[in-house]
Structures are given as C-alpha cells and as structure tokens.
Amino acid sequence: MRTANVRTIVIWTLVALVGAAGWSVLALARGEDVSAAWMVAAALGSYAIGYRFYSKFIAYKVLKVDATRATPAERLNNGIDFHPTDRRVLLGHHFAAIAGAGPLVGPVLAAQMGYLPGTVWIIAGVIFAGAVQDMVVLFFSTRRDGRSLGQMAREEIGPFGGAAALIAAFAIMIILLGVLALVIVNALAASPWGTFSIAMTIPIALLMGFCLRVLRPGRVAEVSLIGVGLLLLALVAGRWVAESSWAGAFTLAPSTLVVWLVAYGFIASILPVWMLLAPRDYLSTFMKIGTIALLALGVVIALPTLKMDPVTDFASRGDGPVFAGSLFPFVFITIACGALSGFHSLISSGTTPKMIQKETQVRMIGYGSMLMESSVAIMALVAASIIDPGLYFAMNAPPGAIGTTVENASQVVTGWGYSISPAELAQAAKNVEEATLLSRTGGAPTLAVGVSEIFSKVTGGSLRAFWYHFAIMFEALFILTALDAGTRVGRFMLQDMLGTVYRPFKNMSWKPGLVLTSAIVCALWGYFLWVGVHEPLGGINQLFPIFGISNQLLAAVALAVCTTLLVKSGRLKWAWITGIPLVWDATVTLTASFQKVFSGDPKVGFFKQRSVFQDAIDDGKVLPPAKSMDDMHTVVTNSTVDGVLTAVLALLIVVVIADALRVCVRHLRRPALSTLSEAPYVESKILAPAGLIPTREEREEARDAVTPTGV
C-alpha cells in the first residue's frame, strides 16, 4: 500500500485550509461585506478534496474499475457510435454534452433565496450526489455495452419498473431538449455575432475530426491548437460580421433558427461521432472552461463584494417574484445541473460509454466533468450575487409584477426592500447597450450583466457592453453542445424501445433505424419548439414550468438503477453511496411534485392556478400574464397539462423506486434468482492513461508496447 509523502500531506492540508477558510467566512458573516473570492475558495477547495479522495475511493474500492477489461468502444468499434476516443477529447465531449442551460440559469434564479443556500447545495450536492451519479451510471453502462438508462432499468429491475423508467426517461428527454433549444433561440435571435461564431464551430469541428481520424491520428495537442486558434478567430470575426454589411445574413428570425436547429440536431445525431459530435464538443469546451477560468481569475483580481443577502426573506415566505415556493424544496429543484441532474445520466449511458477507452477513465470523465460543470454553476451564482439586488429583481421579476417602466419597477422593487432608482435602472441598460433590462427573465441576461461587471473591473468600464454580449453568445454555445448530444441519446433511447418490437432497431448503428429514430426525436422536440416560438404561452413554453422537476425525477430513476446494481453485483455494503442521494432526491422532488400539483397557492399549484383562471374566465376577467381571453384559455390548458404530467411522472418514478426496492429485497433473500446483464470479460489491447496526465507507471507501460489508439 502506497503511503503519502510529506509534500503530498502539506499540499492537501493547504487545499483543505483554503476550502475551510472559504466556508467559514461564508457561514459566519453577519452584516459585513463578503468578497465573492471566498465563495470561489470554498468551491475549489471542496472540489479538489472530493475528487482526490471520494471519487478515488468509489472508483477503486467500490466499483473496482479494471484497466485490463475491454470497453464496448474497443470490442464493438464500428466508427459510427462505438469508437475508442482519446480521453482528452472524450472529457471535452462529455462535459460539453452535460453542461447545458442548467448550470447557467438555475443558480441565477435561485439567488432570489440568497447566495448561501445555493452555494451549499451546488458544492455538497455535486460531491456526494451529482458527480457520483454520473460516474456510477457511466461505469455500469460501460459494463453493459453502452446500454441506455431505460434499457438498464428494464434488464436489471424488471419489465414493469423498466417500462416505467423508459417512458419517463424518454418523455423527460423531449421536454429537456425542447427547453434547451428554446433558450438557444432566445439567445441567438437577432444576434449576428453569436449566430456567426457558433455556425463557424461546425466546419472547424469537421476539420478537427478529419485531421484526427485521417491526417494526424493521435495528434490531439496539435489539432487542439489549430482548433482553438480558429475558434478564437471565429469569435473575433463574429463581432466584425455584426458590424459589417454581412450582418443581415446572420440576423435570423426565431422561426428560421428553429429550422436550422432541428436540421443540425438531425445531422449531428446520425453522423459518426468522430466526425462532428466529439470534436465540436471538445472544441467548445476550450471556450467554456477558458471563460469560467477567466471569470474565477477576475473574481480573485477584482474581489467583487457579494451584494445579495446570504439568505433573503423570500426563502422562508415562499412568495418570491422570480419563482414561487419556499427554500425547501424549490432551491433544490431550481438548481439542478451543477449539483444533481438526471439529464447527465442519459449522456453517461448514451454517447460516452460507447466511446471511452478504459474503465479507469470513468473517474476523470464521469466525476471530473461534473465538478467542472459545478464550477460553472458557482460562477453563475457569483455573477448573480455581485450585482445590485434591486437590479437583479428588476431583471428577473415578470412584467405583471413590476410593470414596464423604470419608475414603476423602481417603486415595486423598493417595496420588496431592495432600493434602486429609475435612473440607476436606465443606466444599467445603457451600460450594456440594451434598450431595457426590465423583466429579462430566464437567467441568461442576469448572468451576462454579472460577467460584464467582473470582466469590466479588470479590463475597464468601456468594454462592459462587449463583455455583456460576449456572455450572451457564450451561453448559446454552452447550450447547443447539450442539444446535439441529447438528440443522439434520445435516438438511442427510442431505438431501445422500438427494438423490443422489431429486433433490427437493437443494432444502434443500423442505418435505416438511426435515420428514422433521429427524425422522430427531432420532430418531437422541434414541434414543441416551433409552437413555443410562435405562441408565447404554447408549445415548449407550456412545459417549461416542469423542466426542473422532471430533470430531478429522472435523477431519481438513475440513482435507483445504480443502487439496484450495487446491491445485485455484491456491493451491498456500499449501496449507501447512491442510496442516500436517492432518498434525498426522491424526498425533495416528490415533495415539490406534490406541492406543484396540490398547493392552494395559485403561484405554486397548477390545479389551483387552473381554478383561479377558470373562475376569471367565467367572470369575463383577464389576469396576467394573459393579455386576452384566448390567452386565459391557454393558461387553463397549460395548468391542466402541467399538473397532470407532473403527477404522472411522479407516479412513474414511485413505480421505478418501488420495483427497484422489491428487486433488492428479493436479491438479499434469494440471491440465486438474480441475474446481471453484464457483458462477458474480454481482455483489452488498448493502453491509455486513466487521467489527463499519465503516471510514471503508465508512461513506462506505454514505452514497452505499441498499441492502437483512437481519436
């Protein structure tokens, strides 16, 4: 057994002290100014400890990852979906695929409750729940030929619970994809800079994929430098285009963007992974991580003060203007990605297990990527918490609450206890070259204002507008990478389901099947998106209120499957690793589901909202956000649909958990009746490091052998 040397002990002691200092300041501050740098210190120190010790314990002690065992990418390599991919490229792909709108938007909205609850959940949640889920799902899917989450549930839990998991997972996936696409459309509409820059990432990625596959196989660092250089050029050129005569060609209407997004999603889901999906996601990761790292550095240099209260009055009252509901359970629903996200389990059991070279890489790719995403969530929370609270609430409260003028907004927000003058609201919009910042809901503009605030303190106030629009474009890029991978995973899930009816669909790379299922998935989320763009209260807008709950319900499915597999595979004493997060997530999410369905507060309960609006229709009244009687009828329909869907999804998840518990109890009583669908052991012929930097032993092993490598 290897013992730690003095240098290692000193380094990790210092890391622990940095994290502890950050937590101490955040927890003990009483009225004095607190620098956002302490939030960054608490996060980075905790992440480092969690990755170094907890993830290593799970990977090698609990899961017992095996470097000698061939992965599905090696055994089933077909160059389309199964393809051994260099760990650095795959890390970028996986991170880009899981990091969608959630880590950017959720923490911004949750800042309504204060910065402290969100900070605790983001950091503790990712270390003990989110990153654990992602890594364990990735491990078990890799052991099962890259099976999807729903398929693993059907095989390991049984046909009843498995069917419930398949239906719930696929329905939730369509909702998530529609919401992600809507955020992209809202960010890129009438934005030639963002549209041009993001469009250019596609040919750059195709060039990188061709180079890594044909021209310079294995030369990841060399091709990365070329790709990053071209990406930076595209970002700069995007602003040139926006200020040139070409701007009109890249200024697209929302309906046009919908068509392009659906076409892109379809093409990206059927092309070989090495050609577009993996290199494009890998490329975008440089921008994502680079921006977040610069943002953290900017916080350390500028030392902005956290202006939001640690815990606001809205946390206990539950009548916040940004979203209604008390701190428990709704902070844990609003902040999903960045702490715990069911969507990640679909990626961990979708594209990534079909591309991973070695089992030993599940720690870096599964756990490490989730920590990276959590750092994004922390920086989003920082950005929302350093701006004036009055501006924050004016930006995130709906027009029905604050009106449409700076005078009215100032009066209402001041009444909430956060004073801001009309002149200050007007100046804030002028600083970022926007006509108004009032009611810019959804989180993205608030994050952009916070980013511009931090960067302008380092580079100068004259660049505030530049940084604001850069952040808007950055968010669109962030989300698009989750859309393409999500569509591909949706295709895998649909193929799993159809494969039970017509066996050729079981072959994930059967071309007629992959084309048909990709078209169906794109048509489903594309329909909801198209209607949502044309009808402010229809389409995906109708399903937006259940986005957070459905995502966390999906996490409960993933954790239930993981816990069942730990028990059935002889790891009963370690089942608490996913069992405790499962109990917490199920408690939080089912409580939120119950309140959203049955609460007597019309701002919270769907059915109560339906009743209030129906009564108003009967009295001939029009209530906000409706602007006409037709809108009133739409709100009634939406509330009914959302209430029924929430109840159905919650019921499906209860069925999955109950069936998983039944299987676990049966296994403990009669282990001989249990079966595992794990693929048989095949010795691996690939040599590849477990982490980003090869260890001395791995370098020596590589020198002693010539091995095949992947892109």
Side-chain angles (χ1 to χ4, degrees):
M1 182 177 177
R2 216 172 75 181
T3 58
N5 57 39
V6 174
R7 180 185 173 189
T8 301
I9 293 173
V10 170
I11 290 174
W12 285 105
T13 300
L14 290 175
V15 170
L17 289 174
V18 168
W23 281 116
S24 299
V25 172
L26 293 175
L28 301 177
R30 294 293 184 271
E32 63 270 23
D33 290 343
V34 176
S35 170
W38 289 114
M39 191 184 294
V40 175
L44 295 182
S46 301
Y47 295 154
I49 295 292
Y51 183 78
R52 170 61 180 82
F53 297 100
Y54 194 50
S55 72
K56 188 174 183 179
F57 160 73
I58 295 174
Y60 292 97
K61 183 72 173 179
V62 178
L63 302 179
K64 299 186 186 303
V65 293
D66 187 353
T68 70
R69 190 185 187 108
T71 64
E74 181 179 358
R75 291 186 290 102
L76 306 176
N77 182 8
N78 60 12
I80 300 177
D81 295 318
F82 294 89
H83 180 64
T85 303
D86 185 280
R87 69 199 184 284
R88 293 161 291 186
V89 176
L90 187 57
L91 176 67
H93 157 72
H94 185 80
F95 168 70
I98 65 173
L104 297 172
V105 175
V108 172
L109 302 180
Q112 167 184 266
M113 302 294 192
Y115 65 79
L116 195 55
T119 301
V120 172
W121 171 232
I122 290 170
I123 298 174
V126 72
I127 291 173
F128 297 108
V132 174
Q133 171 206 259
D134 292 10
M135 177 171 65
V136 176
V137 169
L138 177 56
F139 171 79
F140 281 125
S141 180
T142 301
R143 283 279 175 101
R144 285 158 178 76
D145 290 342
R147 290 278 195 273
S148 69
L149 178 67
Q151 189 67 13
M152 285 196 294
R154 196 173 70 85
E155 292 176 351
E156 302 293 351
I157 295 178
F160 188 59
L166 275 169
I167 295 170
F170 187 72
I172 291 170
M173 178 60 124
I174 297 301
I175 294 171
L176 299 181
L177 290 174
V179 170
L180 291 174
L182 181 64
V183 177
I184 296 170
V185 169
N186 290 338
L188 292 184
S191 174
W193 181 10
T195 302
F196 174 83
S197 298
I198 290 176
M200 288 302 101
T201 62
I202 297 174
I204 295 172
L206 289 170
L207 174 63
M208 291 177 65
F210 183 73
C211 287
L212 287 170
R213 176 78 172 185
V214 179
L215 298 180
R216 307 289 288 172
R219 304 281 186 171
V220 176
E222 176 186 313
V223 176
S224 298
L225 288 175
I226 296 172
V228 171
L230 292 173
L231 174 63
L232 294 175
L233 178 61
L235 294 175
V236 175
R239 198 180 194 198
W240 297 341
V241 168
E243 297 171 352
S244 72
S245 58
W246 290 6
F250 292 94
T251 304
L252 304 181
S255 56
T256 306
L257 283 169
V258 171
V259 175
W260 280 111
L261 282 178
V262 172
Y264 170 75
F266 175 75
I267 293 170
S269 67
I270 63 175
L271 286 179
V273 287
W274 61 265
M275 186 179 292
L276 177 60
L277 189 70
R280 189 191 176 286
D281 289 353
Y282 174 60
L283 178 66
S284 71
T285 296
F286 283 101
M287 181 181 170
K288 292 179 177 182
I289 291 299
T291 301
I292 295 302
L294 288 175
L295 197 55
L297 184 61
V299 169
V300 173
I301 294 173
L303 298 176
T305 300
L306 295 170
K307 296 179 182 177
M308 185 65 73
D309 296 329
V311 181
T312 68
D313 293 339
F314 296 123
S316 56
R317 297 207 310 257
D319 59 350
V322 179
F323 64 90
S326 57
L327 189 154
F328 179 89
F330 289 105
V331 160
F332 309 100
I333 298 300
T334 305
I335 299 178
C337 301
L340 172 65
S341 170
F343 176 74
H344 297 184
S345 67
L346 302 181
I347 304 298
S348 292
S349 62
T351 56
T352 307
K354 298 176 179 65
M355 300 161 69
I356 195 167
Q357 290 176 315
K358 308 293 286 185
E359 275 191 7
T360 48
Q361 294 171 354
V362 300
R363 178 188 175 211
M364 176 188 70
I365 293 169
Y367 200 98
S369 291
M370 184 55 184
L371 291 183
M372 290 160 60
E373 192 196 38
S374 186
S375 69
V376 175
I378 281 292
M379 295 315 303
L381 184 58
V382 166
S385 301
I386 64 165
I387 66 176
D388 187 288
L391 176 60
Y392 169 85
F393 285 106
M395 290 185 68
N396 289 282
I402 63 172
T404 57
T405 66
V406 291
E407 290 78 15
N408 197 66
S410 171
Q411 184 179 358
V412 173
V413 171
T414 300
W416 293 334
Y418 299 97
S419 178
I420 188 168
S421 69
E424 289 172 324
L425 287 172
Q427 186 61 45
K430 185 178 179 181
N431 288 341
V432 296
E433 298 179 6
E434 289 280 358
T436 180
L437 289 176
L438 298 182
S439 300
R440 297 295 298 273
T441 55
T446 305
L447 174 62
V449 169
V451 169
S452 69
E453 180 80 15
I454 294 170
F455 281 160
S456 64
K457 286 185 177 181
V458 178
T459 61
S462 61
L463 292 176
R464 190 185 297 268
F466 169 84
W467 290 122
Y468 173 85
H469 291 283
F470 170 83
I472 292 291
M473 184 271 296
F474 163 74
E475 292 173 73
L477 174 65
F478 222 100
I479 300 163
L480 185 60
T481 53
L483 184 68
D484 51 20
T487 301
R488 197 180 195 97
V489 172
R491 185 250 286 181
F492 292 151
M493 295 168 65
L494 187 55
Q495 285 180 274
D496 272 341
M497 287 189 281
L498 295 179
T500 60
V501 179
Y502 186 57
R503 192 160 187 82
F505 279 104
K506 288 281 189 183
N507 179 1
M508 292 296 164
S509 300
W510 180 52
K511 290 185 178 179
L514 68 87
V515 170
L516 177 62
T517 51
S518 293
I520 292 173
V521 171
C522 289
L524 287 172
W525 65 257
Y527 166 77
F528 286 114
L529 177 62
W530 178 267
V531 176
V533 164
H534 291 84
E535 298 180 20
L537 296 177
I540 196 60
N541 297 303
Q542 180 185 60
L543 303 176
F544 198 93
I546 64 174
F547 171 76
I549 284 180
S550 61
N551 190 31
Q552 299 305 76
L553 287 172
L554 186 55
V557 173
L559 291 167
V561 171
C562 289
T563 305
T564 303
L565 284 169
L566 286 173
V567 172
K568 290 178 65 178
S569 61
R571 300 174 173 93
L572 173 63
K573 67 177 180 179
W574 305 121
W576 58 268
I577 288 169
T578 55
I580 292 176
L582 169 61
V583 171
W584 167 257
D585 181 57
T587 301
V588 167
T589 313
L590 292 176
T591 300
S593 300
F594 183 86
Q595 291 186 18
K596 293 299 288 184
V597 174
F598 298 111
S599 173
D601 182 351
K603 293 182 179 179
V604 178
F606 291 128
F607 289 154
K608 182 62 177 179
Q609 183 184 67
R610 180 197 181 284
S611 175
V612 168
F613 275 76
Q614 185 61 57
D615 290 344
I617 291 173
D618 295 340
D619 295 337
K621 298 177 181 178
V622 176
L623 305 177
K627 297 179 180 178
S628 66
M629 196 54 70
D630 285 342
D631 286 350
M632 291 289 291
H633 286 285
T634 300
V635 172
V636 168
T637 301
N638 291 355
S639 300
T640 305
V641 170
D642 288 341
V644 171
L645 266 179
T646 300
V648 170
L649 289 175
L651 181 61
L652 287 173
I653 270 56
V654 169
V655 169
V656 172
I657 294 174
D659 213 19
L661 180 61
R662 176 190 63 80
V663 171
C664 290
V665 171
R666 186 191 67 179
H667 173 79
L668 295 178
R669 289 178 174 175
R670 304 180 68 182
L673 296 179
S674 297
T675 58
L676 285 171
S677 58
E678 191 173 282
Y681 175 91
V682 174
E683 185 176 358
S684 174
K685 294 180 171 58
I686 291 178
L687 289 181
L692 277 179
I693 302 173
T695 63
R696 184 178 61 186
E697 292 82 1
E698 288 170 339
R699 288 195 299 269
E700 291 174 352
E701 188 178 20
R703 281 197 299 265
D704 294 339
V706 177
T707 60
T709 58
V711 176

